[in-house]
Amino acid sequence: MFTWKTILLQDSASPLMEQLTFFHDHALLILIIITILVGQLMITLFLNKFTHRYLLEGQTIEIIWTILPAITLIFIAVPSLRLIYILDEINSPLITIKSIGHQWYWSYEYSDFKNIEFDSYMIPIDEMKNYNFRLLDTDNRITVPYDSQIRMIITAADVIHSWTIPSLGVKIDATPGRLNQTSFIINRAGLFYGQCSEICGANHSFMPIVMESITPNYFIKWISKMIKI
């Protein structure tokens, strides 16, 4: 889980976020190498009093500074394209959950089960417990089993919202009149927090998302309880 005032990425809770973190480190390493190399060349140019009379019209150096950036872009593009295909892959989801964005709360429907629908509002500050997170906790959490393929269908009832949980590597727009979908697998139990990431009005910052990951056995018990209600 993330901590307050962190400047790093959140700990990954899904294979997709883990791959995104690896790609972030890979791209950052390449950028650091380029920055050091270019910085060293600039410092050398400023401090060096010698000049090369063939520098401005040298075919060799022009070939070098054309080929090297192309190779660098290949090292970035290949992992990036691989990651895009991985993110779009949906294989036989076990559970489908529909999320509808409203001003300013989320409502959820478990489409595979009968009569499981609920709204998820942020807990007001005067009703919070000591263990609640300010502006992040909700009265009703999304409950899913871990190690299971989950499909989310996202839409909105009024304006554009964005359903986002950073630790899962999920960010997808909720657009009125349109269904967007994404899928993920959570690889551990826990509580995962997110927020609407699209400026949707005056209370945009007051529509959080809380997902609870539990074992499949406990999930079956939770579903049975919700159906009886």
Side-chain angles (χ1 to χ4, degrees):
M1 177 179 167
F2 68 94
T3 56
W4 304 116
K5 297 183 179 179
T6 182
I7 59 173
L8 304 174
L9 296 175
Q10 295 184 18
D11 293 339
S12 63
S14 71
L16 298 180
M17 184 58 188
E18 188 175 347
Q19 292 298 318
L20 286 170
T21 304
F22 289 156
F23 177 72
H24 168 269
D25 296 341
H26 171 78
L28 190 61
L29 179 61
I30 293 176
L31 292 177
I32 291 174
I33 293 173
I34 293 174
T35 303
I36 293 174
L37 178 61
V38 173
Q40 191 269 338
L41 290 175
M42 292 180 65
I43 292 173
T44 302
L45 288 175
F46 283 124
L47 299 180
N48 191 359
K49 296 181 181 180
F50 298 100
T51 57
H52 195 291
R53 59 179 178 174
Y54 298 118
L55 183 64
L56 298 179
E57 297 181 2
Q59 297 295 324
T60 303
I61 194 170
E62 289 185 4
I63 293 174
I64 292 173
W65 69 42
T66 301
I67 293 177
L68 285 182
I71 295 174
T72 304
L73 290 176
I74 291 174
F75 275 101
I76 296 177
V78 171
S80 176
L81 292 174
R82 171 180 170 272
L83 192 56
I84 289 174
Y85 282 105
I86 291 175
L87 292 174
D88 286 339
E89 188 175 353
I90 299 178
N91 292 322
S92 302
L94 182 67
I95 299 171
T96 299
I97 304 174
K98 184 178 180 181
S99 176
I100 305 172
H102 304 267
Q103 290 182 310
W104 286 272
Y105 65 96
W106 296 95
S107 61
Y108 299 97
E109 301 174 5
Y110 284 71
S111 307
D112 302 316
F113 307 96
K114 185 178 180 181
N115 298 328
I116 300 183
E117 301 177 5
F118 56 86
D119 297 330
S120 181
Y121 289 87
M122 185 191 75
I123 299 177
I125 295 178
D126 55 352
E127 297 179 11
M128 289 176 56
K129 307 295 183 183
N130 292 331
Y131 52 80
N132 290 136
F133 288 125
R134 179 178 174 271
L135 303 183
L136 282 179
D137 262 307
T138 60
D139 53 357
N140 292 310
R141 299 168 178 167
I142 321 165
T143 305
V144 297
Y146 62 76
D147 288 338
S148 302
Q149 186 85 18
I150 311 298
R151 175 170 58 186
M152 293 295 303
I153 297 177
I154 315 294
T155 188
D158 33 48
V159 298
I160 297 177
H161 301 275
S162 185
W163 197 85
T164 306
I165 299 183
S167 58
L168 301 181
V170 175
K171 182 180 185 296
I172 185 166
D173 287 340
T175 307
R178 176 175 178 177
L179 292 176
N180 290 332
Q181 73 171 353
T182 186
S183 68
F184 54 85
I185 298 175
I186 302 178
N187 53 22
R188 58 188 171 92
L191 291 176
F192 307 105
Y193 296 86
Q195 291 177 298
C196 175
S197 298
E198 188 76 28
I199 298 178
C200 55
N203 291 330
H204 155 68
S205 58
F206 302 102
M207 49 184 303
I209 303 162
V210 182
M211 178 171 287
E212 183 175 4
S213 173
I214 58 178
T215 65
N217 289 335
Y218 279 110
F219 177 76
I220 293 172
K221 294 179 181 179
W222 179 83
I223 285 293
S224 301
K225 179 182 177 181
M226 292 295 292
I227 291 175
K228 291 179 182 178
I229 294 175

